[in-house]
Amino acid sequence: MSEIPAKATESEDPSDGARAEAAGETAAGAPGGTTGGAGVPARGELSVPRTGSRDTGLGDDVPAGDAIWQSSPPGSMYDYIKVASFSIGPDGLVDQWSLRAEQLFGIPAGRAVGMDPIEAFIDPDLREQGQRKMAEILDGREWTGVVPFRTPETAEEGGGQEALAEVYVMPTRTEDGERAAVCIVVDVRTLRRIETDLAASQSIFGQSPFGFLLIDPDLRIRRANQQFASTFGGTPDDHRGRGVHDYLRSPEAERVSATLRRVLETGDSITDMHVTGFVPGSNERRHWSINLYRVHSGSGRPIGIAWLGTDITSRRAAAREAAAARRNLALLNEAGARIGNSLDLETTARELLDVVVPGFCDLATVDLYQGLLAGDETPPGLADGSAELRRVAFASAVSDAPFVGGGAPVAVGAVHHYPFNSPCADALRTARTQLVPAEEGGLVQSTLAVPMVAHDTVVGLAQFARTKGSEPFGDRDRDLAVELAARAAVCIDNARLYRREHERALILQRSLLPPGDPVASGLDIACRYLPGASSADRPSEVGGDWFDVIELPGHRTALVVGDVMGRGLRAAVAMGELRSAVRTLALLDLEPAEVLSALDEIARGLGAPGGVQQATRSARRPREADLSEVYLATCVYAVYDSVTRRCTFANAGHLPPVLVEPGEDALMLDVPPGMPLGVGGEPFEEVEVELPEGALLALYTDGLVESRDHPLDEGLQAFVGALTDPTRPLEDVCDHVLNTLDTHHGEDDIALLMARVQGLPTDSVGDWTLPREPRSVGRAREYARGQLLSWDLEPLVDTTELLVSELVTNALRYGEGEIRLRLLLDRTLVCEVWDSGLVQPRRRRARDTDEGGRGLQLVGLLSAAWGSRRTPRGKTVWFELPLPDGETGLADPAEALLSLF
């Protein structure tokens, strides 16, 4: 350094301008950009006498370092600026050395006192100039300047560090009148740091995009930045002195004021405190995120609170929208999981309300068209809104009263309709959501009337209401309500379609079952049919179970029980076709095994496009079966002869019949099960069993003995165990079985057919064998006359003699072997003529010129029914006559003969 930039003035006229000029020279001559470390703020100088003692005035127990930094409120700039002082005696040596000087220069007072400051601190190249300045100072001149200095070297701490100080030298006089000087030294590095900090603070405060406030301990604004002023209007200076209540309304202002006091008292910072308020000139609610922290002076004394605010109104709105979207999505997911679990219309409506209340609204109702609930077909398109509706569901989160709105309350289950010009009727008519105005003084704030539309058909109306205090319905809520109502409407429409199909299938199934109590010759019949019931996890569908009692010629009876695999309308239709086929085949008087073989062909034809013939042709070549079109069924077919009390069974994959003989335990008959109908390829076997008088025979389907909770073997044993008293009335036995077994599982239909054996008495049967000779015709007439007279059936004698003569004559002319005549008396009179011939009689119409060929025509005219059937040893031709006390009158033989010509 070539010079010490300084300016000396007379002590009598200190000049601030000279100091400013000296500072300007410093910029040119001093080392540029040199900055020092942070100084420790202090106030109140303590000087050290020449003896070097440190009398702080605070007592011997107070450390010197602590005494240096003592300050008293309200504080000053010396809390931040490093200021030190020392004095120079008349001899130019350090006379007094302050504690601050000790901190600034790093030299204890013991060493500093008596040192030549020029020799100790000034660079050797500048010492000559320094000595001249010192002489001027001791000559009585003030001096101000920036002095580069170097700390002296010591053996312990080294030294030699360069620094920069601004020095203010004021001449003084000693007690003896000698000239001396007092030096005030400021660390230039601290000043530069303060300038930088002030510039950075001003930049942050003024250019911050957030609202920035400095609040004093009285909770008044001391400084506001431009961003805050642009939000609340005016300039930053306009907001000085204002408080929280000038910007926020109660009770938000009280809450914020309490938070400010807590921050000021505790020093705990507050992060992301949400504050709600309004800005001047707008009624829109605004939201801010506020950060608060306490501000301290350089000495650590709290002087206020810093407020940093960010407008989060749009962020809150976006978060609210996102939360609403998540809530709506969760509601839709819940609706998808809970709505439509049942195929019941009322249950589905209640499921909808369970989802929306209270998650979406406070009150809700569902109205469905009365015709829809009654099973009427709903016309496609939009409803006119005037049809009757039934209130099927109501839910409330605030009260138990029915939904209030637009007239008298409507109770659940009540039938009503909306006025034509009402919003609800308009919603039904236009299939568009309508907002129902709230009633004055009522509980409801807003109501949405949402039509329930499924497949372009309005099935009902759902109303969603929110009470006062809740958020009104918005566009997003309207869309959600439409979606929820649409989902429920689809489920309700599916339930309606299912109910329609179920009822039709049930009607079809019941129409195909025997009407009333079946009557059979030589049997006491009781039957039960229970359709499957609905359950929580499986809707109710009709099944393919059926039973039948078919009267056959010769006072024989066919007992049939079957079960088509599957459920629904297709199963019911297949059951009807098989039952019709069974009755047709039974009338042909085929053997039980032949009946099942023919049924097997028919069942295979049900799944083939071309019917039975196509199925038969397809069976001859390999093919891949379409399982969806395969109809399988099980069936047991039994033919009971009341004369012999023998019963012939054939089984197609069905459960075995159960027989209970008098005085014996129930047992399952060993009937070969065979293959189910529709499988094909296997013959069916027959088993003939003689049934004792009073025996009980039970045929049933698997729904009686099998369920998810009870395996088949367990159910069969329970069924056999329930048949303990076969002597009870047959109707009571059926009820006892159904009450004992688990028949309420609802998984399958139940068919139960029970028959008690009551064979024909021997005196009700007349049986004769006739040789093949012409005289046998006359003998047959005599046998018939005598038997009828013994039965007190004289009115039937003439007709019976005539018809017996015709049948025996035909047996002699066209038959073979011995002739057998049998008369059977039960509810009707049956006459049978047996022979060994295999040729079946065929009725034909005789021409007017023919002498014969009218015998079978005569039989058909005079009898109630007639026919022929094959037997193991030939054939049997029979006719049937009603008894005189019957409802059918007897035909006049004379008129019948005349009608033939």
Side-chain angles (χ1 to χ4, degrees):
M1 298 181 184
S2 59
E3 61 178 353
I4 300 177
K7 182 177 180 64
T9 59
E10 293 293 337
S11 59
E12 293 80 10
D13 186 20
S15 173
D16 292 336
R19 181 173 180 177
E21 183 179 352
E25 294 175 359
T26 301
T34 303
T35 59
V40 180
R43 189 180 179 206
E45 230 17 89
L46 297 177
S47 62
V48 180
R50 183 180 295 270
T51 60
S53 62
R54 301 186 181 182
D55 184 8
T56 64
L58 300 175
D60 297 337
D61 297 332
V62 179
D66 293 341
I68 293 174
W69 307 114
Q70 295 298 316
S71 63
S72 60
S76 68
M77 63 178 293
Y78 297 105
D79 291 340
Y80 304 96
I81 302 175
K82 257 187 179 180
V83 179
S85 64
F86 62 91
S87 63
I88 300 174
D91 55 359
L93 301 180
V94 175
D95 181 66
Q96 292 182 343
W97 190 256
S98 68
L99 297 179
R100 286 289 185 89
E102 197 175 295
Q103 292 288 332
L104 178 63
F105 293 100
I107 300 174
R111 291 186 55 226
V113 174
M115 293 179 58
D116 185 348
I118 302 300
E119 295 294 332
F121 302 110
I122 302 302
D123 188 270
D125 297 336
L126 301 177
R127 287 176 183 173
E128 184 179 353
Q129 295 183 7
Q131 293 293 344
R132 290 198 301 269
K133 294 297 182 182
M134 180 60 71
E136 294 177 0
I137 292 171
L138 294 177
D139 195 29
R141 292 180 176 271
E142 288 187 352
W143 181 83
T144 301
V146 177
V147 179
F149 67 92
R150 179 184 300 273
T151 59
E153 298 182 1
T154 62
E156 296 83 3
E157 302 179 2
Q161 297 181 359
E162 294 184 356
L164 192 66
E166 183 174 346
V167 181
Y168 180 29
V169 182
M170 296 175 289
T172 62
R173 290 183 181 274
T174 65
E175 294 178 356
D176 300 332
E178 295 179 322
R179 293 184 181 272
V182 174
C183 299
I184 305 298
V185 182
V186 178
D187 189 353
V188 174
R189 295 171 298 179
T190 302
L191 291 177
R192 299 292 182 265
R193 179 177 57 80
I194 291 175
E195 291 177 357
T196 303
D197 292 346
L198 287 175
S201 175
Q202 181 63 31
S203 175
I204 294 174
F205 195 88
Q207 301 176 17
S208 173
F210 311 117
F212 212 148
L213 299 178
L214 289 180
I215 301 175
D216 62 17
D218 296 330
L219 305 186
R220 295 289 177 178
I221 296 177
R222 284 302 172 213
R223 187 175 181 184
N225 70 344
Q226 183 60 42
Q227 181 64 31
F228 183 87
S230 63
T231 301
F232 288 93
T235 64
D237 292 337
D238 295 337
H239 296 276
R240 294 181 184 272
R242 293 184 180 180
V244 175
H245 288 271
D246 296 323
Y247 302 96
L248 300 177
R249 301 176 182 177
S250 298
E252 187 77 345
E254 283 79 2
R255 183 178 71 90
V256 174
S257 297
T259 304
L260 290 173
R261 293 189 188 95
R262 186 170 70 253
V263 172
L264 191 63
E265 292 172 359
T266 64
D268 297 334
S269 300
I270 299 296
T271 303
D272 196 24
M273 179 181 72
H274 288 191
V275 176
T276 303
F278 301 88
V279 297
S282 174
N283 293 326
E284 180 186 1
R285 187 183 298 272
R286 304 291 289 272
H287 301 272
W288 293 276
S289 173
I290 305 301
N291 297 320
L292 303 174
Y293 58 92
R294 191 168 68 181
V295 180
H296 302 84
S297 66
S299 62
R301 181 179 59 84
I303 61 174
I305 301 171
W307 168 303
L308 183 64
T310 305
D311 192 335
I312 59 171
T313 303
S314 58
R315 190 174 74 188
R316 281 283 297 269
R320 191 164 53 249
E321 289 291 323
R326 289 192 298 269
R327 183 180 66 250
N328 294 347
L329 182 59
L331 201 63
L332 289 176
N333 291 336
E334 184 182 4
R338 298 180 60 181
I339 299 177
N341 293 326
S342 170
L343 287 175
D344 181 75
L345 277 70
E346 292 83 354
T347 302
T348 303
R350 288 192 295 270
E351 290 171 346
L352 170 63
L353 301 194
D354 291 341
V355 171
V356 300
V357 177
F360 177 69
C361 60
D362 300 317
L363 300 97
T365 63
V366 174
D367 298 324
L368 298 180
Y369 278 115
Q370 176 66 10
L372 187 75
L373 297 171
D376 298 339
E377 290 292 334
T378 302
L382 304 180
D384 60 1
S386 61
E388 290 186 337
L389 299 107
R390 183 191 299 175
R391 178 70 45 88
V392 295
F394 163 78
S396 172
V398 294
S399 68
D400 294 330
F403 188 88
V404 178
V410 180
V412 175
V415 177
H416 67 103
H417 66 86
Y418 293 104
F420 183 81
N421 294 326
S422 64
C424 294
D426 190 45
L428 291 170
R429 187 166 49 251
T430 62
R432 295 180 180 177
T433 303
Q434 301 293 329
L435 183 63
V436 181
E439 294 182 345
E440 291 292 336
L443 178 68
V444 176
Q445 175 181 238
S446 59
T447 302
L448 289 177
V450 185
M452 306 180 70
V453 184
H455 308 114
D456 297 331
T457 300
V458 178
V459 298
L461 181 73
Q463 295 187 67
F464 308 113
R466 290 180 178 175
T467 56
K468 293 181 178 178
S470 302
E471 185 178 355
F473 289 111
D475 294 338
R476 187 185 297 274
D477 297 325
R478 181 188 294 256
D479 296 338
L480 178 61
V482 171
E483 178 64 23
L484 290 172
R487 292 193 179 192
V490 171
C491 295
I492 289 176
D493 192 58
N494 291 340
R496 175 184 69 86
L497 296 176
Y498 167 77
R499 175 183 290 185
R500 182 185 66 183
E501 179 182 351
H502 176 71
E503 291 177 350
R504 290 178 179 178
L506 194 59
I507 292 173
L508 173 63
Q509 186 183 43
R510 292 190 178 277
S511 67
L512 296 175
L513 294 175
D517 295 329
V519 178
S521 177
L523 291 175
D524 183 13
I525 301 293
C527 55
R528 294 289 188 274
Y529 173 77
L530 300 178
S534 60
S535 61
D537 57 347
R538 184 191 58 80
S540 172
E541 289 185 319
V542 297
D545 294 15
W546 92 92
F547 66 91
D548 209 346
V549 178
I550 307 170
E551 293 189 82
L552 299 178
H555 290 312
R556 294 173 304 135
T557 303
L559 304 176
V560 188
V561 170
D563 183 6
V564 176
M565 297 182 185
R567 301 183 64 83
L569 188 60
R570 294 174 67 247
V573 171
M575 179 271 288
E577 294 188 16
L578 291 179
R579 179 175 180 270
S580 299
V582 168
R583 298 189 68 87
T584 302
L585 295 172
L587 294 178
L588 296 178
D589 213 349
L590 301 176
E591 296 297 325
E594 295 177 347
V595 172
L596 293 185
S597 297
L599 278 179
D600 181 59
E601 292 292 334
I602 294 173
R604 292 165 60 193
L606 294 178
V612 177
Q613 293 183 354
Q614 183 64 31
T616 304
R617 296 191 188 111
S618 300
R620 300 192 183 102
R621 63 179 182 271
R623 67 182 180 93
E624 295 182 0
D626 184 2
L627 297 181
S628 63
E629 296 296 332
V630 172
Y631 289 84
L632 299 179
T634 61
C635 179
V636 60
Y637 184 87
V639 176
Y640 168 72
D641 190 339
S642 62
V643 178
T644 63
R645 295 197 311 274
R646 301 189 69 84
C647 188
T648 304
F649 295 91
N651 192 352
H654 203 77
L655 297 174
V658 175
L659 177 64
V660 185
E661 298 183 3
E664 301 290 340
D665 294 334
L667 57 89
M668 290 182 287
L669 296 177
D670 187 12
V671 180
M675 300 298 291
L677 302 177
V679 175
E682 293 293 333
F684 298 96
E685 300 181 31
E686 294 181 354
V687 173
E688 189 176 59
V689 179
E690 184 175 354
L691 305 179
E693 185 73 18
L696 186 64
L697 181 66
L699 305 178
Y700 52 94
T701 58
D702 57 355
L704 180 67
V705 295
E706 185 179 21
S707 67
R708 296 181 183 178
D709 300 328
H710 298 85
L712 179 59
D713 292 341
E714 180 181 332
L716 288 174
Q717 293 300 325
F719 177 48
V720 171
L723 299 173
T724 56
D725 188 7
T727 60
R728 298 171 60 184
L730 207 54
E731 294 291 336
D732 295 343
V733 175
C734 287
D735 294 337
H736 173 71
V737 169
L738 295 180
N739 292 332
T740 303
L741 301 182
D742 181 20
T743 59
H744 301 288
H745 52 75
E747 296 176 9
D748 199 358
D749 296 357
I750 296 175
L752 175 62
L753 178 62
M754 305 191 76
R756 177 175 285 121
V757 175
Q758 297 175 349
L760 286 179
T762 56
D763 57 359
S764 296
V765 179
D767 196 347
W768 304 273
T769 301
L770 302 173
R772 291 192 60 81
E773 57 184 25
R775 289 183 299 176
S776 296
V777 178
R779 290 179 184 176
R781 287 196 296 268
E782 292 176 1
Y783 294 152
R785 173 181 287 272
Q787 187 66 60
L788 292 180
L789 292 177
S790 67
W791 288 339
D792 294 330
L793 295 178
E794 186 176 356
L796 299 180
V797 170
D798 293 340
T799 301
T800 304
E801 284 186 321
L802 177 60
L803 298 183
V804 167
S805 177
E806 287 293 334
L807 295 185
V808 172
T809 300
N810 284 341
L812 286 173
R813 295 180 63 182
Y814 306 109
E816 299 176 2
E818 291 183 337
I819 300 173
R820 180 184 176 188
L821 173 65
R822 188 169 72 167
L823 294 178
L824 307 174
L825 177 63
D826 192 43
R827 293 178 294 107
T828 61
L829 176 65
V830 175
C831 175
E832 298 177 339
V833 176
W834 304 50
D835 68 81
S836 301
L838 299 178
V839 179
Q840 298 289 328
R842 184 172 62 87
R843 181 179 177 179
R844 66 182 182 86
R845 182 176 294 279
R847 295 189 296 268
D848 295 341
T849 57
D850 292 341
E851 294 183 1
R854 296 181 176 86
L856 294 180
Q857 294 186 32
L858 183 63
V859 174
L861 288 174
L862 296 179
S863 64
W866 78 278
S868 66
R869 69 176 185 272
R870 294 195 304 269
T871 63
R873 296 181 180 85
K875 67 176 182 296
T876 299
V877 182
W878 58 272
F879 68 85
E880 182 177 349
L881 293 176
L883 298 181
D885 56 350
E887 297 179 357
T888 304
L890 297 176
D892 186 4
E895 292 182 0
L897 288 172
L898 293 176
S899 66
L900 297 177
F901 299 95

